[in-house]
């Protein structure tokens, strides 16, 4: 092993807004003091209850991915496990997510975009 994953960083136009969006989905603490990062106007973190850290970096002239357009690829996505897919979909949509692919009603996942356009999936447990 060469390294340990410190966090996953998402580019966006509004770092604090994105951290609060993911906090509403995953819980945790936004901008918890941590000696590994200097928090500021262009940087925010979310320390989840499970110990995983998401970081958000403001980028001037941010251009979101456009799933499934390969000219603007998704670059990465998060799979978020949920117990009730229908309820979770309603909850993420009210928090600002956009449904990208609702599936065929048979599969166990659906694809959404966060407010900055990053794809993520809700996956039924």
């Amino acid at each position: 092993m060469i390294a340990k994953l410190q966090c996953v960083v998402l580019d966006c136009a509004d770092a604090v807004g994105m951290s609060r969006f993911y906090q509403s989905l995953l819980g945790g603490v936004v901008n918890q003091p941590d000696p590994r990062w200097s928090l500021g106007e262009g940087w925010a973190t979310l320390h989840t209850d499970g110990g995983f850290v998401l970081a958000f970096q403001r980028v001037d002239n941010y251009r979101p991915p456009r799933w499934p357009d390969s000219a603007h690829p998704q670059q990465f996505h998060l799979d978020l496990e949920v117990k009730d897919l229908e309820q979770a979909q309603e909850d993420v949509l009210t928090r600002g997510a956009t449904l990208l692919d609702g599936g065929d009603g048979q599969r166990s996942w659906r694809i959404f975009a966060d407010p900055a356009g990053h794809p993520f999936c809700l996956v039924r447990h």
Side-chain angles (χ1 to χ4, degrees):
M1 180 172 92
I2 295 173
K4 179 179 175 184
L5 180 64
Q6 187 177 68
C7 68
V8 173
V9 181
L10 287 78
D11 289 350
C12 58
D14 176 5
V16 172
M18 286 298 295
S19 65
R20 298 225 181 275
F21 171 79
Y22 278 102
Q23 179 188 40
S24 76
L25 302 183
L26 303 171
V29 178
V30 170
N31 288 340
Q32 173 178 305
D34 189 315
R36 296 175 289 182
W37 300 286
S38 295
L39 301 174
E41 185 178 318
W43 181 267
T45 60
L46 174 63
H47 288 71
T48 67
D49 296 337
F52 186 74
V53 178
L54 286 173
F56 306 90
Q57 175 176 267
R58 185 178 52 78
V59 174
D60 292 333
N61 302 314
Y62 172 73
R63 292 179 23 200
R66 286 187 265 168
W67 183 90
D69 180 358
S70 61
H72 302 277
Q74 66 180 333
Q75 301 162 9
F76 89 103
H77 72 273
L78 301 173
D79 284 350
L80 307 178
E81 182 178 299
V82 299
K83 290 182 181 180
D84 183 330
L85 191 55
E86 295 299 326
Q87 183 62 52
Q89 174 173 315
E90 183 178 321
D91 291 345
V92 300
L93 292 174
T94 62
R95 287 170 168 80
T98 303
L99 180 64
L100 297 177
D101 183 349
D104 57 7
Q106 302 298 312
R107 69 180 198 212
S108 62
W109 75 92
R110 294 182 186 151
I111 304 167
F112 300 84
D114 66 24
H118 303 108
F120 69 93
C121 296
L122 295 179
V123 182
R124 183 175 41 246
H125 173 67

